Amino acid sequence: MSKEKIWLSSPHMGGTELKYIHSAFDENWIAPLGPNVTGFEKDIQVFLENDGKSECEVAALSSGTAALHLALVLLGVEHGDEVICQSMTFAASANPITYQGATPIFVDSEEQTMNISPLELENAIQDRIQKGKKPKAIIAVHLYGMPYQVDAIEEISKKYDIPVIEDSAEALGSTYKNKNCGTFSDYSILSFNGNKIITTSGGGALVTRKKEIKDQAVFRATQARDAAPHYQHSKIGFNYRLSNISAGIGRGQMEVLAERVSQRRKMFEFYVNLFSEVEGITVQQAPNSDYFSNHWLTVIHVDPEQCGFDREVLRLHLEQENIESRPLWKPMHLQPVFQDAPFYGTGIAKKLFQNGLCLPSGSNLSDEDRDRIGSAIRECLTKYSKNYG
Ligand SMILES: Cc1ncc(COP(=O)(O)O)c(C=O)c1O
């Protein structure tokens, strides 16, 4: 019989989610609005404001992708516009640009955080302006929970007067200079997809510092109905609101978010110890104490020259043991669907993709799971490594 699967990141219920779902049933709030939605938005707001530095408004939505799309809509991104996007990310960061008929302009990563390179970002902006179009927005991502270089990106955003859309889908619970990720922009987004640090099975949120932006987001997300007794529309709308049932799961999950962050960070520490004396494998770490990552996923880099094997050997070895691991997000400028989109960079994201691997990082992994992961990795090192043992 094959061993039980160890997942990269699987949903982890806290125990009180059903209580909120039952109350929705009891009160017949089986709708894309209701007390769980309002309560969930408040819970997220309270959490994000717990740094004592942030003030925010939250609109709960059907997905992080919907939140990104709405952010672009509210920023007035239209057909023919250009929007800058971190190349190394999940496709959902970039796809909504094309929903608006705009063109994505991809920018390389820097090595410290694996996120958008301030240097290449500025090159890209200057070149696009010189070519005749100023980009309408910058989509920056806190990849795998690691904050991007917030100060540097904000400075460029201000210098050129181009707003940042903060893709914090993977970074709820992370902070930069003790301020919560998800609060650095008027258009920040969160995801509660099944693999995220907390989940509503599917869901997301737009977080903003301005009440009028929240109101506009909710208006657009509920089919843009004007104030009239009949159905009247003067703007294009979407059906993007989170359901009251899903929000019930979210309310339960918010009760355990802080615990989930420490559990994910414990997994990260486990890998730091495991690889501490392994030449050629490095665990992606925060550059300094300004960066606090929720370590949604722990990332390692396998140097094939030093190790004598590449990350694919390790991935396949783990797969044989029924342990899931996954290459990093393949950069968007290398994706067939975006082959015609401009790219600014030197190849750092590509190298990170070639050598990087995400290891099982779920908050629900047990000591037994960690033992299995540790043994499988040690076995792989003994079998293939030039320097191990
Ligand atoms: C970086 C990033 N952006 C956006 C999304 C989109 O979120 P969702 O799956 O909730 O649409 C995800 C996750 O799925 C993500 O990882």
Side-chain angles (χ1 to χ4, degrees):
M1 211 178 70
S2 70
K3 292 176 190 157
E4 208 178 311
K5 176 121 178 171
I6 295 181
W7 299 94
L8 194 67
S9 177
S10 66
H12 186 186
M13 293 299 103
T16 59
E17 292 82 0
L18 273 176
K19 179 183 84 183
Y20 294 103
I21 293 180
H22 279 140
S23 73
F25 272 76
D26 291 344
E27 293 157 27
N28 204 27
W29 277 110
I30 317 296
L33 77 169
N36 281 338
V37 174
T38 326
F40 184 42
E41 288 175 342
K42 185 76 196 161
D43 294 342
I44 299 169
Q45 183 190 352
V46 168
F47 180 85
L48 290 176
E49 290 180 350
N50 73 4
D51 57 16
K53 299 179 176 198
S54 307
E55 276 184 31
C56 60
E57 298 277 339
V58 181
L61 300 169
S62 54
S63 68
T65 312
L68 281 159
H69 188 201
L70 276 185
L72 293 167
V73 168
L74 296 180
L75 281 168
V77 172
E78 289 174 353
H79 185 88
D81 284 340
E82 293 185 348
V83 173
I84 290 183
C85 184
Q86 180 168 323
S87 181
M88 183 141 203
T89 184
F90 180 47
S93 304
N95 282 339
I97 300 169
T98 68
Y99 305 167
Q100 288 305 100
T103 303
I105 310 292
F106 292 116
V107 170
D108 210 354
S109 295
E110 40 80 12
E111 269 169 345
Q112 288 197 325
T113 70
M114 303 195 294
N115 294 315
I116 193 162
S117 153
L119 191 78
E120 298 299 344
L121 172 62
E122 190 155 18
N123 284 343
I125 294 172
Q126 286 176 352
D127 192 56
R128 296 326 288 177
I129 292 174
Q130 208 189 9
K131 286 190 162 71
K133 248 182 213 173
K134 182 168 137 179
K136 276 280 188 77
I138 300 161
I139 301 178
V141 189
H142 307 297
L143 217 57
Y144 304 115
M146 186 65 71
Y148 57 76
Q149 293 187 17
V150 176
D151 283 351
I153 302 302
E154 278 186 357
E155 201 181 308
I156 294 169
S157 157
K158 281 202 192 96
K159 181 169 167 189
Y160 294 93
D161 192 23
I162 305 174
V164 174
I165 297 175
E166 182 194 7
D167 184 341
S168 196
E170 303 174 0
L172 184 57
S174 298
T175 63
Y176 174 79
K177 293 192 172 169
N178 297 319
K179 185 166 159 47
N180 282 312
C181 289
T183 63
F184 289 107
S185 163
D186 285 331
Y187 303 89
S188 300
I189 76 103
L190 302 172
S191 167
F192 310 114
N193 192 12
N195 62 357
K196 295 297 183 289
I197 191 146
I198 60 158
T199 184
T200 55
S201 83
L206 184 81
V207 183
T208 176
R209 297 174 289 206
K210 299 197 176 104
K211 170 90 168 60
E212 61 273 22
I213 294 178
K214 176 187 170 168
D215 292 344
Q216 274 301 309
V218 171
F219 169 70
R220 292 288 193 133
T222 46
Q223 306 288 20
R225 287 170 59 182
D226 293 339
H230 54 277
Y231 286 87
Q232 172 93 5
H233 306 276
S234 46
K235 289 219 156 67
I236 295 294
F238 307 88
N239 184 2
Y240 276 173
R241 211 56 169 124
L242 187 67
S243 93
N244 196 52
I245 302 296
S246 300
I249 306 177
R251 294 216 69 189
Q253 290 272 280
M254 284 306 290
E255 292 180 14
V256 290
L257 173 57
E259 195 184 335
R260 296 292 175 261
V261 173
S262 58
Q263 286 160 325
R264 297 256 172 183
R265 287 178 57 86
K266 187 173 151 196
M267 280 311 295
F268 164 77
E269 291 299 337
F270 163 75
Y271 290 117
V272 169
N273 287 332
L274 187 65
F275 291 108
S276 62
E277 292 187 358
V278 178
E279 257 177 74
I281 297 188
T282 47
V283 181
Q284 181 75 31
Q285 311 244 10
N288 57 52
S289 59
D290 287 344
Y291 298 78
F292 178 89
S293 173
N294 65 9
H295 287 299
W296 170 59
L297 295 185
T298 296
V299 170
I300 58 164
H301 304 281
V302 180
D303 179 340
E305 303 239 310
Q306 272 196 62
C307 287
F309 65 91
D310 63 16
R311 62 113 159 107
E312 198 52 13
V313 168
L314 178 55
R315 191 187 71 76
L316 291 171
H317 184 85
L318 292 171
E319 192 175 80
Q320 269 178 11
E321 295 295 319
N322 217 9
I323 298 170
E324 185 183 28
S325 64
R326 205 170 284 171
L328 306 199
W329 301 124
K330 183 175 178 182
M332 290 304 112
H333 73 281
L334 302 177
Q335 299 286 357
V337 72
F338 290 124
Q339 63 185 356
D340 296 330
F343 168 69
Y344 293 82
T346 55
I348 289 176
K350 185 176 177 185
K351 186 168 154 247
L352 292 168
F353 168 65
Q354 281 165 342
N355 294 341
L357 193 67
C358 300
L359 295 174
S361 304
S363 46
N364 49 5
L365 294 175
S366 63
D367 284 341
E368 203 184 311
D369 293 329
R370 277 183 282 276
D371 285 347
R372 261 182 68 199
I373 296 166
S375 309
I377 289 174
R378 276 190 289 270
E379 225 176 75
C380 180
L381 291 169
T382 312
K383 199 163 163 192
Y384 300 104
S385 176
K386 288 203 287 202
N387 321 304
Y388 189 71

